[in-house]
Amino acid sequence: MKTRTNCSPQEEETRPSRCPDNSAFKQQKLPAWKPRLTLASVLSSFFLIGAFCLTVGICLILSANSVREIQIDYTDECSDCSKLRENSSNWNKECHCSINFTLKEDMLGDVFMYYGLQNFYQNHRRYVISRSDAQLLGRKVNIQKSYCAPFTTYRNGTPMAPCGAIANSMFNVPLLKTGNAWWTDKNVKFRNPKSYNLSSAFAGKYGTARPPYWWKPVYLLDEDDERNNGYVNDDLIIWMRVSAFATFRNLYRRVSRIRQFAKGLPAGNYTFHISYNFPVTKFRGRKRVILSTVVWSGGRNPFLGIAYVVTGAAATLTGFIITAIHLKLRVKKTYFQKQ
């Protein structure tokens, strides 16, 4: 069955509305490139892609394995603090615990400190939406109409700042405090209320109070640096970007490379002094601190390298299978021609 693309003059007179315009586009006369796939081009493509992916994957895996990393789990050592903080009425009672560890080898270069959580589902729907973006932009809003419930106001009607479950569960564990958050978050998504000082903005104009699991208000998160205080605090900004998985890590600090730490973190005995705020024992969660170096490809995460190796191996294997099929068919063709 043939398809007609042009209309005769008689058809144009009787059915002008059903006839396409006499143009190269509508008459399908545009120039086109129709590649002819040959055996050589197909096989070379598969083998080149395979070689490239295998090379990149092996480099990424070797690079990730060269990262120095140490993880310190302090969930059990700080269990007493966790039990104390489970009662929100103990918000004004500080609880501290200490974790000792030994670094057997030097960690040369830039050393980053992460905090890690396990079995903490930040991707839960109600947790993800439990925030007020308008409030985090420094605007005066009625948080009762937001998704922050039940972390909106206290019984006396005082609104929480910042409100919501995300802010209430913020991690706290000092190192370089700034330069860790994304530029867009720091300069676009978060703003402090306009006032001559933060204490009057939060405590006076808005009459707000800290979330239940915080032991100090938002305008005192960093008393040493006004530019890193309130809603634009790096720790708060990083925590408010929720993770997609139940086990995750967030960047918390960077080791300042001065004096004896100029080359990195030297080997020796260290102690973490932790101010414990948010309990995780009720949902069988775990907390840990990670010290890690980085390389050109990032931290210790071999997933991307493994993905490249698998892709490269699959492309190379496909190339060999196509070659074997071609040789087998060619032998059969030669045999029948001789017959």
Side-chain angles (χ1 to χ4, degrees), residues 181-215:
W182 290 16
W183 185 92
T184 52
D185 287 348
K186 185 83 171 181
N187 297 276
V188 178
K189 295 183 178 180
F190 292 81
R191 285 285 187 275
N192 280 326
K194 294 182 179 180
S195 180
Y196 65 93
N197 63 54
L198 284 179
S199 59
S200 63
F202 286 98
K205 182 180 179 181
Y206 291 105
T208 59
R210 43 118 201 111
Y213 282 125
W214 290 24
W215 65 275

Side-chain angles (χ1 to χ4, degrees), residues 267-288:
N269 297 321
Y270 294 87
T271 301
F272 276 125
H273 298 285
I274 300 169
S275 177
Y276 201 102
N277 276 352
F278 184 71
V280 297
T281 52
K282 278 189 174 181
F283 52 86
R284 298 181 182 178
R286 302 197 68 83
K287 286 184 174 183
R288 64 184 185 274

Side-chain angles (χ1 to χ4, degrees), residues 51-63:
F52 172 79
C53 291
L54 286 173
T55 303
V56 174
I58 292 173
C59 292
L60 289 173
I61 292 175
L62 294 176
S63 176

Side-chain angles (χ1 to χ4, degrees), residues 135-136 161-162 170 186 190-193 198-199 201-202 214 217-223 225-237 240:
Q135 185 193 51
L136 295 173
M170 190 179 86
K186 185 83 171 181
F190 292 81
R191 285 285 187 275
N192 280 326
L198 284 179
S199 59
F202 286 98
W214 290 24
V218 66
Y219 55 86
L220 293 179
L221 289 179
D222 190 349
E223 301 179 57
D225 189 355
E226 189 74 14
R227 297 170 299 177
N228 189 43
N229 214 343
Y231 291 147
V232 295
N233 177 263
D234 273 33
D235 297 338
L236 174 63
I237 292 173
M240 295 299 289

Side-chain angles (χ1 to χ4, degrees), residues 14-31:
T14 57
R15 295 181 299 170
S17 62
R18 301 174 66 90
C19 297
D21 296 335
N22 191 20
S23 62
F25 177 75
K26 292 189 176 182
Q27 296 297 334
Q28 300 181 13
K29 295 180 180 179
L30 291 174

Side-chain angles (χ1 to χ4, degrees), residues 42-54 307-323:
V42 172
L43 289 179
S44 60
S45 298
F46 274 107
F47 285 123
L48 286 175
I49 293 173
F52 172 79
C53 291
L54 286 173
Y308 267 102
V309 170
V310 171
T311 303
T316 305
L317 180 62
T318 303
F320 280 118
I321 292 174
I322 294 175
T323 303

